[in-house]
Amino acid sequence: MIAFIAPGQGSQTPGMLAGRLRDPESADRIRVWSEAADLDLAHLGTRASPAEIDRTENTQPLLVAVGLLAHDGVVDEAALSVGHSVGEITAAVYAGVLEPTDAVRLAAIRGRAMADACDAAPTSMAAVVGGEEAAVVRAISERGLTAATFNGAGQIVAAGRTEDLRLLAAEPPPGSTVAPLKVAGAFHTHHMESARRRVAEAAAAMPFRRPRGVYLSNADGESVVDPETIRRRLVDQVVRPVRWDLCLSALARTAPETTVALPPSRTLGNIVRRHFPELRVVPVNTSGDLRRVRARLNGARPTEGATHAGL
């Protein structure tokens, strides 16, 4: 079994496309996807400053585009696909649910809508590291905040009003520390409802297909096969918590022979290695990485009946 994991916001780095656009095929794809996103993805991926690519409206379509450049170069049919937050859109392409151009367009609409929602109120996010999970979730809720992302290994991301986050940091849950995150607002909470509506309208106009293999949902880490359920969950994810911890558990139960960490691969690749060192993680960041992955996976296909093992 082969697995593909796609990163979300926070994994971006300047120059993510540097060197990749020398390949005419990749350059052509970026031009098509730039038109679909109404953004200059080539500029964002090569010359843009950290501040420019960190803007939500730029980060999300750029991350999806970078992840999709590897798509045709590895395998056509992924056995298992999963992504973190906006990475779920990337994973949907690897699973055959969405077309690449639709995926980049949807990510661009999502990014702009979420950026606009961030302007409505002073909100943000903070990582709560350590402590007992139930006590941490209770403390977050008591401050009027939302446990927005469960990253596993004792890290829960709280989101909500900036003032409430400051109070949480001043009195953290027992055994924990609270670290503010450099984000534009409270993603994956009710503060993003206006963005959810815009994403829903865009997703409704796009064809969603049944996944070829296993497609894991951020909502609960479970495999989803119905296209309309996938569409609804991708939309609702804008205002619902990301259960990456449950996705990791499902990945470990499936025990893929190789887990390909899509670019930019460092953040998610390290998380998987830290949680499950027995899994072989192959990162893809450069064209050379892609060639090595292609060689390693050459001829590899999931065996019959293996795609849902352990799920």
Side-chain angles (χ1 to χ4, degrees), residues 117 120-121 123 144-146 148 159-161 164 186-197 236-241:
T123 62
L145 301 164
T146 300
R161 295 195 313 158
D164 294 330
F187 303 144
H188 306 294
T189 73
H190 68 277
H191 294 283
M192 295 289 111
E193 174 56 28
S194 62
R196 186 202 66 79
R197 292 193 294 268
D236 290 347
Q237 184 226 63
V238 173
V239 296
R240 291 188 58 182

Side-chain angles (χ1 to χ4, degrees), residues 80-279:
L80 184 149
S81 303
V82 59
H84 188 289
S85 190
V86 72
E88 272 203 310
I89 296 177
T90 310
V93 176
Y94 280 79
V97 173
L98 279 173
E99 289 294 328
T101 302
D102 282 342
V104 177
R105 181 181 293 112
L106 184 61
I109 293 168
R110 183 184 190 271
R112 290 191 188 98
M114 292 175 76
D116 290 344
C118 290
D119 293 335
T123 62
S124 191
M125 307 177 84
V128 184
V129 181
E132 196 273 322
E133 182 174 304
V136 170
V137 172
R138 183 168 58 251
I140 290 172
S141 178
E142 287 172 351
R143 289 294 185 191
L145 301 164
T146 300
T149 306
F150 292 73
N151 283 327
Q155 186 191 99
I156 297 174
V157 176
R161 295 195 313 158
T162 305
E163 178 58 30
D164 294 330
L165 288 168
R166 279 198 288 265
L167 294 173
L168 181 70
E171 295 184 28
S176 73
T177 59
V178 178
L181 300 179
K182 293 181 180 180
V183 296
F187 303 144
H188 306 294
T189 73
H190 68 277
H191 294 283
M192 295 289 111
E193 174 56 28
S194 62
R196 186 202 66 79
R197 292 193 294 268
R198 286 166 61 181
V199 174
E201 182 179 2
M206 296 178 181
F208 278 63
R209 295 184 294 271
R210 186 181 179 90
R212 290 186 293 256
V214 175
Y215 179 76
L216 300 182
S217 169
N218 279 183
D220 52 14
E222 295 296 321
S223 175
V224 187
V225 297
D226 175 61
E228 291 308 313
T229 300
I230 295 173
R231 187 197 311 268
R232 185 180 68 252
R233 287 191 174 204
L234 273 178
V235 169
D236 290 347
Q237 184 226 63
V238 173
V239 296
R240 291 188 58 182
V242 171
R243 293 304 305 256
W244 188 246
D245 56 336
L246 300 180
C247 290
L248 285 174
S249 296
L251 180 67
R253 290 197 305 272
T254 308
E257 178 186 354
T258 299
T259 297
V260 177
L262 297 170
S265 65
R266 181 175 179 178
T267 300
L268 282 195
N270 286 344
I271 288 176
V272 173
R273 289 190 187 97
R274 187 164 61 248
H275 281 68
F276 304 106
E278 70 277 11
L279 295 180

